Amino acid sequence: MSHGTRDTACSDIAVRYPAGMSKQPSHPSYPIDETHDPKLESWVESANDPSTDFPIQNLPLAMRLTEADDGDGFWAGIVVAVGDELLDLNLLAASDIFDDDDDDWDFMSIEDLMADGLWSRLRPKVQRLLRKDDKRLRDHRERGRIMSPAEGAVFALPLLTGIGDYTDFYASIYHATNVGSMFRPENPLLPNYKWIPIGYHGRASSIVASGAEVRRPMGQTVADGESEPKYGACKRLDYELEVGAFIARGNEQGEVIPIGEAEEHLFGVCLVNDWSARDMQKWEYQPLGPFLAKSFATTISPFIVTMEALAPFRCGAFVRDKDDPKPLAYLRSDANEKFGGIDMQVEALISSKQMRDKGMEPVRVSRTSFRHMYWTIAQMLTHHASNGCNMQAGDLIASGTVSGPGAGEAGCLLEATWKGAGKDREPIKLPTGETRFFLADGDEVTLRGWCEREGFRRIGLGECRGVVTPAKG
Ligand code: CA
């Protein structure tokens, strides 16, 4: 593939700490500041472990479910992950610690924190509270209630009112080229691909939180060699390794979101598994695109890692081949070109039931970087609103399968088992001797993501997990 050796402009930025931190180049909407100082440590010792996803430079948000005292149901509260502990933000707000603070500590949900940039103002204050030298919470009589172990916690979807609208893009040119090659070897990329961030409207109601079981869908499929479909259980169930972005601020219907303002409409990112029924997809996708092959379930990771936390890991947008068209002017800006990407490692792992019963570790099937995406999140958002479509706070846009240029960088099984046109498919081999072209009942798929860069603390997205359960006919 001609894009195989291309890389993004990440290496051109040459960020080094600590010489004049405020002057470090970064996206103009999300400056690198003292909250990213890698020397900051917390009195929560596990947050200082170099391998944690959640040092105090991260502070992602989630909704935790807590069983009611009377055992009658659950209530959901906002938590911030710090090392292997969770800080209950509602209890913190109700305590006397910020009594003298001017900001609004009277929030109920992450939606409230998205509004008017509230969390952007509170984040440095919460970080200050968690620093090693700060005693306000560390020595507080309510510390034992406000802080609790993350182990065993159950999370809801991050938004109390549910995900608004959900749109899934198709922004990896490697994924689009690979999949296109399977169906149209002579013409893998359709002519619009390099002009339009391609997407489809997904189904928000079937988005589930990490850990929820995913039932194998029923649907119409046509067996090889047959000409008519049968209705039955999907036989080619796949995962798709994706990154999602939450919208914090929408636009009025009939108005657009200029590329120069798109980043300020974003709140943060999570991992997305866009479960896909390949046999149903193959039969239904023409002429109008994915429908029931995708809408039965989509799993997201519980934590939203905010745009502020990602600031040190921004990188250039995809560097296009010289023969590729430039994006049209409404999809182009200097800031997007220099800092529109995110250098985030992502990986997908599988474990079969047999593997888990034997205590075996999951097997990694895919690993790549989000920086390889042909379109940036800002371009996807700007394009989405470019016809006057009104985006709303709480909407989720997903990137499409994140596949990179090299071997082992395919973000779904359809690609990972494909060895090229005219070649036999090769299954994924599991340590039990089992093999997989597609997912079997009982298989668990785990997605992970993290950012690393010299001179900064590593931050992670946590995990996005789901187990496949048998179809219900
Ligand atoms: Ca997808």
Side-chain angles (χ1 to χ4, degrees), residues 62-83:
M63 291 299 279
R64 175 179 55 185
L65 290 173
T66 307
E67 196 166 359
D69 289 339
D70 58 6
D72 188 19
F74 291 83
W75 56 274
I78 310 169
V79 289
V80 178
V82 190

Side-chain angles (χ1 to χ4, degrees), residues 371-389:
R371 73 174 190 267
H372 295 305
M373 303 308 269
Y374 196 78
W375 298 100
T376 64
I377 295 171
Q379 286 172 320
M380 295 180 220
L381 177 59
T382 291
H383 181 68
H384 202 317
S386 66
N387 64 344
C389 168

Side-chain angles (χ1 to χ4, degrees), residues 46-47 52-56 58-60 81-83 303 305 458-462:
S46 56
T52 183
D53 275 357
F54 308 126
I56 58 169
N58 191 351
L59 304 183
V82 190
F303 293 102
V305 172
R458 173 196 189 278
I459 64 167
L461 278 78

